């Protein structure tokens, strides 16, 4: 962005904060941002859609994005009030205008299309959604098959099919004769979007984000990511996630940059991932971005030279092990700039400066107008000592308006540490002497072995430093005596022939704390991933629990483990041995179906 100073370190943050926030905003609401971009760069390309790696592109200019957004917003406005418009859409030529339009006329509710129908129905019902945007029979996400159940459960919901050449309920037919933009703009304090924050199990929380939150984040993410006018950014991230939607949609519009959408499935499409480097070179990509799992997959497919215009790779969604980051840069020559944040902060709170030092193992410096406090794990009323890991608390204009249906805004006071309302991020980390944030894990991911709080990052860093290891995750396996024992799951680099025993022997030498030495190493072909590409530690904890249960019960007992609400791990045993409920309770697990207890 031409009128943002270069983010080169703490001095860049200070230069921005020397001016009021209003100086930097590209609009106070989403429609103002879209309109401002069209006025400044009307016929420049804003968006390119690639159905397949070699398919003819579908392009949209900034002016066309505004015109389409206004027409669609006018259609949504005819529903009255500020309607909730839900979206199960992948990346399509009209996905971004539809999302912008829904937030203009009402509230957009992006939903993970891979959720079960029951979870989708629950979110639609909780938000009183009026319209659902979805793929039709030509889609490849499987959502069309869920629409019958959704229609049956919510008969008043209007379902509009997008990306279909013909057939009923098409978007084009629904928009017919409804073309005028809404006569007024939303207010900055109005809710613009609701994002669910859970995974694929239980009933996720729904975080409410205002136009002010998103307008702030549009420029903050662009500044942090080093976006400039005319930049090209390939996007393979899902648009139901705040990261894909803001960094791959709204922030480039605010920066007057251009997005190249990598098909409907993005990085989930093996063909797109295989062609990623070729596409980046052909399209003249300036910035690449994706979570660590995609960075690793891209590294396996890399062949020199790197695309000539690429300045850096933005990695987010999960910390990237320092050894992996160094290996990526050594092989590709591309610096990785890590970012960190969460949905409840409307995306990012820290970024590695694009014009400054990359520090492997760190997620960067705090961004302008974002304050961070590290609270002691032992005494939450006190700040952690310098260099001591603690719970990271955040305060910024991006902090959300609270969860739907929950009293209060989800923020807290920190008596004796800092005034104001603070967001508990749930992440554990510390600030180094230069202000770089180092994350060491999630509070909920800490492995509790007897009296030891074991940070999985200590184990993961040791295994991740081995050349044979491509990805690693450490979790706790239930244990009746000490609570949890650390175990490790790894995937190997192509052609590596390491065994669990050799990996264990080499990695444990680098783990100073004896209690953190893992009890087991399991080599897996691929890590389970969440819908946004993070390693799914819930699934790995379930697998670890299953391992503990198989050691406890004989072969004739069938065991099923699943995640329940509130972080519970639910177990079904068939037949159910006598005393199973007590056995599972000792392991920190819960028997889900105890009715046939004693039938074994």
């Amino acid at each position: 962005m031409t009128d943002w100073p270069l983010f080169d370190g703490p001095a860049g943050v200070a230069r921005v904060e020397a001016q009021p926030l209003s100086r930097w905003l590209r609009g106070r609401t989403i429609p103002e941002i879209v309109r401002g971009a069209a006025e400044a760069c009307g016929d420049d390309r804003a968006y390119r859609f690639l159905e397949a790696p070699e398919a003819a592109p579908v392009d949209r200019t900034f002016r066309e994005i505004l015109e389409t957004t206004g027409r669609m917003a006018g259609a949504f406005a005819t529903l009255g009030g500020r309607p909730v418009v839900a979206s199960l859409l992948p990346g399509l030529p009209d996905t971004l205008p539809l999302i912008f339009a829904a937030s203009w006329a009402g509230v957009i509710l992006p939903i993970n299309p891979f959720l079960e129908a029951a979870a989708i129905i629950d979110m639609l019902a909780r938000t009183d959604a009026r319209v659902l945007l979805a793929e039709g029979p030509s889609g490849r996400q499987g959502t069309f098959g869920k629409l019958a159940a959704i229609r049956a459960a919510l008969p008043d919901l209007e379902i509009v099919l997008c990306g279909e050449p013909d057939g009923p309920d098409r978007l084009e037919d629904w928009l017919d004769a409804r073309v005028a933009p809404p006569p007024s703009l939303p207010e900055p304090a109005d809710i613009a979007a609701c994002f669910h924050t859970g995974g694929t199990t239980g009933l996720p929380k729904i975080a409410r984000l205002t136009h002010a939150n998103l307008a702030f984040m549009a420029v903050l993410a662009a500044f942090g990511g080093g976006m400039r006018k005319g930049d090209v950014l390939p996007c393979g991230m899902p648009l139901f996630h705040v990261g894909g939607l803001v960094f791959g949609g709204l922030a480039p519009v605010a920066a007057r940059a251009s997005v190249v959408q990598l098909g409907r499935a993005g990085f989930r499409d093996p063909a797109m991932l295989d062609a990623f480097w070729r596409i980046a070179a052909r399209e003249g990509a300036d910035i690449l971005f994706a979570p660590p799992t995609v960075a690793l997959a891209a590294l396996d497919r890399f062949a020199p030279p790197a695309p000539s215009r690429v300045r850096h790779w933005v990695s987010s969604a999960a910390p990237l092990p320092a050894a992996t980051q160094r290996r990526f840069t050594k092989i590709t020559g591309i610096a990785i700039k890590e970012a960190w944040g969460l949905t409840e902060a409307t995306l990012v709170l820290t970024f590695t400066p694009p014009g400054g030092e990359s520090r492997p193992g760190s997620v960067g410096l705090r961004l302008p107008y974002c304050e961070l406090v590290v609270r002691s794990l032992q005494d939450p009323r006190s700040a952690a000592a310098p260099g001591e890991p603690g719970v990271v608390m955040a305060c910024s204009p991006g902090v959300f308006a609270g969860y739907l249906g929950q009293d209060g805004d989800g923020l807290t006071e920190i008596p004796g540490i800092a005034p104001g309302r603070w967001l508990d991020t749930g992440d554990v980390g510390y600030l180094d002497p230069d202000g770089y944030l180092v994350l060491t894990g999630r509070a909920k991911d800490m492995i509790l072995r007897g009296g030891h709080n074991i940070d999985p990052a200590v184990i993961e860093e040791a295994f991740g430093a081995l050349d044979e290891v491509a990805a690693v995750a450490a979790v706790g396996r239930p244990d009746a005596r000490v609570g949890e024992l650390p175990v490790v799951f790894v995937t190997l680099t192509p052609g590596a022939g390491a065994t669990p025993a050799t990996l264990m022997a080499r990695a444990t030498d680098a783990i100073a704390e004896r209690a953190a030495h893992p009890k087991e190493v399991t080599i897996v072909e691929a890590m389970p991933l969440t819908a946004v590409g993070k390693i799914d530690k819930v699934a790995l904890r379930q697998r670890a629990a299953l391992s503990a249960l198989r050691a406890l019960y004989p072969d004739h007992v069938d065991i099923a483990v699943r995640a329940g609400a509130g972080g519970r791990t639910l177990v079904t045993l068939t037949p159910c041995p006598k005393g199973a409920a007590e056995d599972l309770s000792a392991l920190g697990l819960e028997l889900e179906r105890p009715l046939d207890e004693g039938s074994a």
Side-chain angles (χ1 to χ4, degrees), residues 478-558:
D479 184 84
R481 186 174 64 87
V482 297
E484 291 181 315
L485 293 170
V487 297
V488 175
F489 295 88
V490 301
T491 61
L492 300 180
T493 56
T499 66
T502 59
L503 294 174
M504 178 86 81
R506 292 169 57 206
T508 50
D509 288 341
I511 303 173
E513 185 181 9
R514 187 171 183 82
H517 288 187
K519 287 297 181 182
E520 183 178 58
V521 176
T522 301
I523 296 174
V524 295
E525 184 175 343
M527 289 288 184
L529 302 178
T530 68
V532 296
K534 297 182 185 180
I535 293 177
D536 188 348
K537 286 199 170 183
V538 172
L540 293 178
R541 282 194 288 269
Q542 291 175 32
R543 180 165 175 169
L546 184 61
S547 172
L549 292 168
R550 292 208 183 282
L552 183 64
Y553 293 111
D555 292 341
H556 68 270
V557 175
D558 291 328

Side-chain angles (χ1 to χ4, degrees), residues 88 111-113 115-125 146 150:
L88 291 170
I111 300 177
N112 178 356
L115 291 173
E116 295 298 325
I120 295 171
I121 291 167
D122 170 77
M123 278 188 278
L124 294 170
K146 301 172 185 177
I150 294 172

Side-chain angles (χ1 to χ4, degrees), residues 450-462:
H452 297 269
N453 287 349
I454 299 170
D455 192 334
V458 173
I459 304 169
E460 292 164 354
E461 192 65 36

Side-chain angles (χ1 to χ4, degrees), residues 383-445:
E388 174 193 352
V391 177
V392 184
M393 310 290 290
C395 182
S396 92
V399 170
F400 75 147
Y403 297 110
L404 182 72
Q406 180 172 306
D407 292 338
D409 54 13
L411 306 182
T412 186
E413 300 281 351
I414 314 179
I417 300 179
R421 303 287 284 167
W422 291 80
L423 173 67
D424 184 341
T425 69
D427 282 304
V428 176
Y430 62 91
L431 294 167
D432 76 7
D434 298 319
Y436 281 75
L437 178 65
V438 178
L439 294 181
T440 60
R442 292 282 292 166
K444 67 179 181 181
D445 288 340

Side-chain angles (χ1 to χ4, degrees), residues 141-156:
Q141 299 183 115
T143 51
F144 186 70
K146 301 172 185 177
L147 296 184
I150 294 172
R151 290 182 197 274
L154 302 169
D156 294 331

Side-chain angles (χ1 to χ4, degrees), residues 154-172:
L154 302 169
D156 294 331
L157 179 71
E158 193 161 6
I159 297 178
V160 179
L161 302 182
C162 306
E164 294 302 309
D166 50 41
D169 302 321
R170 293 172 67 241
L171 173 66
E172 290 75 11

Side-chain angles (χ1 to χ4, degrees), residues 63-348:
R63 182 174 289 109
E64 288 170 336
I65 293 286
L66 174 62
E67 291 171 352
T68 306
T69 297
R71 181 183 180 212
M72 293 170 172
F76 294 136
T78 64
L79 299 171
R82 289 189 56 79
V84 174
V85 178
S87 170
L88 291 170
L89 294 178
L92 290 169
D94 285 331
T95 298
L96 283 180
L98 280 165
I99 289 172
F100 296 158
S103 67
W104 181 346
V107 178
I108 182 66
L109 172 69
I111 300 177
N112 178 356
F114 300 103
L115 291 173
E116 295 298 325
I120 295 171
I121 291 167
D122 170 77
M123 278 188 278
L124 294 170
R126 274 194 283 162
T127 56
D128 294 321
R130 301 279 301 279
V131 176
L132 174 63
L133 307 170
E135 283 187 294
S138 71
R140 291 177 291 175
Q141 299 183 115
T143 51
F144 186 70
K146 301 172 185 177
L147 296 184
I150 294 172
R151 290 182 197 274
L154 302 169
D156 294 331
L157 179 71
E158 193 161 6
I159 297 178
V160 179
L161 302 182
C162 306
E164 294 302 309
D166 50 41
D169 302 321
R170 293 172 67 241
L171 173 66
E172 290 75 11
D173 299 330
W174 189 78
L175 289 173
D176 188 41
R178 295 191 256 189
V179 297
S184 61
L185 296 176
E187 294 295 324
D190 288 341
I191 301 299
C194 288
F195 285 89
H196 59 84
T197 62
T200 56
T201 57
L203 297 179
K205 294 179 180 179
I206 297 177
R208 301 178 303 145
L209 305 181
T210 66
H211 279 273
N213 291 150
L214 287 156
F216 167 70
M217 193 52 58
V219 291
L220 195 76
F223 168 75
M227 291 185 201
R228 305 170 185 166
K229 181 180 178 181
D231 276 351
V232 174
L233 290 83
C235 177
M237 294 289 287
L239 298 180
F240 61 80
H241 183 263
V242 69
L245 187 54
V246 173
F247 202 82
L250 187 60
V253 171
R256 286 48 163 154
S258 177
V259 172
V260 177
Q261 178 65 40
L262 302 179
R264 300 188 183 206
F267 292 127
R268 285 179 171 270
D269 183 347
M272 282 294 180
L273 198 51
D274 288 341
F276 176 71
W277 292 109
R278 186 169 73 252
I279 293 171
R282 184 185 71 209
E283 298 292 336
D286 297 281
I287 298 171
L288 306 176
F289 72 102
T293 49
V294 174
L296 288 167
L299 187 59
D300 289 342
R301 293 160 170 80
F302 177 76
S308 60
R309 284 180 46 172
V310 171
R311 297 196 298 274
H312 51 263
W313 178 298
V314 171
S315 178
S316 62
L320 185 66
T324 302
Q325 184 175 151
R326 294 188 186 100
R327 183 161 65 95
F328 183 97
T329 300
K330 180 179 179 180
I331 292 173
T332 67
I334 298 172
I336 286 185
K337 303 296 181 178
E338 287 207 68
W340 166 75
L342 62 164
T343 300
E344 291 86 344
T346 315
L347 189 55
V348 286

